[in-house]
Amino acid sequence: DVKVTQSSRYLVKRTGEKVFLECVQDMDHENMFWYRQDPGLGLRLIYFSYDVKMKEKGDIPEGYSVSREKKERFSLILESASTNQTSMYLCASSPPGLSEQYFGPGTRLTVT
Amino acid sequence: AQKITQTQPGMFVQEKEAVTLDCTYDTSDQSYGLFWYKQPSSGEMIFLIYQGSYDEQNATEGRYSLNFQKARKSANLVISASQLGDSAMYFCAMREGLLTGGGNKLTFGTGTQLKVEL
C-alpha cells in the first residue's frame, strides 16, 4: 500500500517562527502536493512538485515556500508564521498520468 | 467562478437508504477527470471513485456510483445502502488538462458533511 507520512499530527507555533512541515512518500511517486484545509473552503492547493527540485505555485502560495531535494520528501516552509496560517495541512502524492492522489494524515497547525 | 461546486454543506440519511451528493463543475477542457474522496473525522482522505470525461459508462465501485451527466456538467456521488461508517465529509475534485500534463493537479469543492442515522 502507498504510504504518505507527515512529520506531526499537531503542531503549535508562535507568530513569526519559521515552520517546517515534512512529508514523505514511499511509492516513488513523481508528483507531490501541499494543501491547506479550512472549514467551508475545502482543500486549496499551496504548491506542488512534479519532479525533484521542481516546484509550481498552486492557488494560495503567498506566505509559503517548498523544498524537494529528494524524490520521496516534500517540505512546506512557513518563513514567518502568522495566525491566519492556522489550518490543517495535507500532503499528497501521485504517480504521473491520470491517477488519484494519496494523502497523508494531515498536520493541524496552530499559530498563536 | 467556482470550478467545483458542492451546494449541500450537510446531509442526513437513514441507515440502509441511498443518498446522492451533488457536484457540479466548470471547465472548458474536453479532457478531464472527476474524483470523489471521503474524509472521516480522523482526517485522512480516502479515494472513492473516478470518472473520466470520455468514459461512456458511469463509474461504480461497490456501493459507490458516480452519476455523470456531461452536458449538465454534474458528477453526483450516489451511495447505496448507507452505513453508519459512511458518516464523513465528502469532497468532489476535478483534474483538468489530461492531455496537456500539468502534474495531476486537483481542484476540490468545499465538501458535504454526511451523517447517517439509525
Side-chain angles (χ1 to χ4, degrees):
Chain A
D1 279 350
V2 175
K3 191 154 187 188
V4 180
T5 57
Q6 295 182 228
S7 49
S8 306
R9 289 300 303 269
Y10 300 93
L11 206 54
V12 180
K13 294 292 181 180
R14 293 193 180 274
T15 302
E17 279 193 79
K18 190 169 186 175
V19 181
F20 292 86
L21 302 183
E22 305 285 339
C23 175
V24 178
Q25 50 96 1
D26 66 357
M27 283 301 291
D28 204 36
H29 285 167
E30 280 76 4
N31 301 317
M32 295 189 76
F33 308 84
W34 275 107
Y35 297 90
R36 66 176 281 176
Q37 181 180 3
D38 300 289
L41 297 178
L43 278 73
R44 293 178 292 165
L45 182 65
I46 305 171
Y47 268 96
F48 67 102
S49 168
Y50 50 88
D51 202 352
V52 176
K53 296 192 185 294
M54 304 298 287
K55 60 186 179 185
E56 285 201 24
K57 293 180 181 178
D59 300 317
I60 51 164
E62 297 78 18
Y64 303 95
S65 62
V66 289
S67 171
R68 193 165 181 203
E69 296 296 319
K70 293 186 177 181
K71 193 174 185 180
E72 67 270 20
R73 186 180 298 269
F74 192 35
S75 302
L76 180 70
I77 303 153
L78 288 66
E79 294 288 342
S80 177
S82 64
T83 55
N84 63 12
Q85 293 178 310
T86 291
S87 186
M88 168 72 92
Y89 290 88
L90 291 161
C91 175
S93 73
S94 75
L98 180 63
S99 172
E100 70 267 30
Q101 293 181 11
Y102 298 84
F103 283 82
T107 295
R108 189 166 293 283
L109 172 67
T110 302
V111 182
T112 62
Chain B
Q2 293 285 339
K3 289 207 171 200
I4 295 284
T5 302
Q6 295 180 253
T7 57
Q8 307 153 312
M11 289 277 288
F12 289 90
V13 65
Q14 295 280 332
E15 194 181 22
K16 299 178 186 173
E17 298 286 312
V19 63
T20 298
L21 306 183
D22 293 341
C23 173
T24 58
Y25 59 91
D26 182 28
T27 181
S28 55
D29 281 352
Q30 295 301 308
S31 182
Y32 53 89
L34 296 153
F35 299 77
W36 277 92
Y37 282 84
K38 171 185 178 181
Q39 187 181 43
S41 56
S42 54
E44 76 271 27
M45 294 283 284
I46 302 166
F47 166 71
L48 295 178
I49 196 166
Y50 164 78
Q51 179 85 42
S53 58
Y54 292 117
D55 295 339
E56 293 186 356
Q57 302 278 345
N58 284 344
T60 60
E61 287 287 347
R63 294 186 299 110
Y64 304 108
S65 60
L66 202 152
N67 183 2
F68 181 49
Q69 297 188 39
K70 195 170 181 178
R72 297 179 62 185
K73 291 189 174 178
S74 75
N76 298 338
L77 177 71
V78 181
I79 306 174
S80 62
S82 298
Q83 302 171 356
L84 295 177
D86 294 334
S87 294
M89 181 73 87
Y90 288 81
F91 289 99
C92 179
M94 176 174 63
R95 187 201 167 188
E96 298 174 276
L98 291 181
L99 300 180
T100 56
N104 203 17
K105 188 173 69 163
L106 294 179
T107 301
F108 284 82
T110 54
T112 296
Q113 183 72 49
L114 176 67
K115 178 90 163 98
V116 181
E117 300 174 316
L118 289 169

